[in-house]
Amino acid sequence: MDLEIILASDVQAWNFELEEMATFDFYHTAEYHLLDNSGEGRLLVFKENGHTLLLPLIFRKIPDSDLLDVSSVYGYVGLLHSSDYPFSEAFRLLEEYFKKEKVISAFSRIHPLIFGADKFERGELVCLNQTTAIDLSLSLEQQFYAYSKSVQRHLNKQESKKINIRLGTKPEDVEVFIKLYYSAMDNLQAAPDYYFSKQYFETLLNIQTFKSILIFCEKDGIVIAGGIFIICNNLMTYHLGAIVAEYRIYSPLKLLIDYARQIGTDNNCKTLHLGGGANSEKDGLFVFKSRMTSLRYDFCVWKWVVDSVCYQELTKCKQKSSFFPLYRASI
């Protein structure tokens, strides 16, 4: 078996390997990995007898050391494989490569809709909660009646019909969304990782490998909510969204999602992945999304302590928690 390393900067070579897979999402692309400034994006390509396994990762420096760890980009990633071929040898090569590169730990969020978790033969898989998705292979009418009764009533309300929904197609719309998003993160007291840079948004919305769609809700000429939905292959994803706090009573996110699923259907998408909750499957965000669909997918993460001796040394002063890797916990 051969192992090839492709850097995210080599966009053509990286995405060529993706095109050989049965499917992939925008999270797997080179361009999306280039948006991550926490480290270097590398695509690990394992090949044997015409079979391929891909593992996209971000290689990050561990502060005050010559050590590294690896993680996935923000979103749902995991690995991709071309067949059910047994890839046991790949993980032996991976372990050798990690040790050569002084990688202490590995972490990846597994894509719930693209199966491949069974291929991980090192470390452990931990199922955290579930995500939700709308089946866009149904007719528009069937999709609507798959909503909960309360969502159907809300969308049919005269007050909801007074809210204008439009696409954000003008250059200044990007700035409008950024301000809206930052304000929403402030209200939620979100972690610093959620404050993506202005360049992140500007670049994301102009990448040509996939299609980013910016949608706004307006009431009386005021933007009250916005969302970024991304189409890659036949999969649509609700990526980021924001609501003006005082307009939450109008539930504009329902209107955004309802509008987006119609766009996804028109673009021959099979699924609109809404994601899960903020923390657990029982939180308010998950409950809200679960009213839009009955489809559920297990969301798991991959954790692997590659060098247990170094890991223990790095974590010896840290308070025990479920955070992984523990040495990067803020407390």
Side-chain angles (χ1 to χ4, degrees), residues 34 55 61 87 89 98 105 118 168 216 251 255 260 279 317 321:
L34 288 171
L55 182 58
K61 292 182 179 179
F87 288 99
E89 179 68 8
F98 277 172
S105 68
D118 59 314
F216 290 112
S251 296
L255 300 171
N279 297 301
C317 296
S321 77

Side-chain angles (χ1 to χ4, degrees), residues 140-158:
L140 290 175
E141 184 179 29
Q142 289 172 319
Q143 292 170 29
F144 181 84
Y145 286 111
Y147 293 157
S148 70
K149 295 296 183 183
S150 63
V151 172
Q152 292 178 37
R153 286 194 298 270
H154 176 82
L155 294 174
N156 283 326
K157 277 184 178 179
Q158 198 62 33

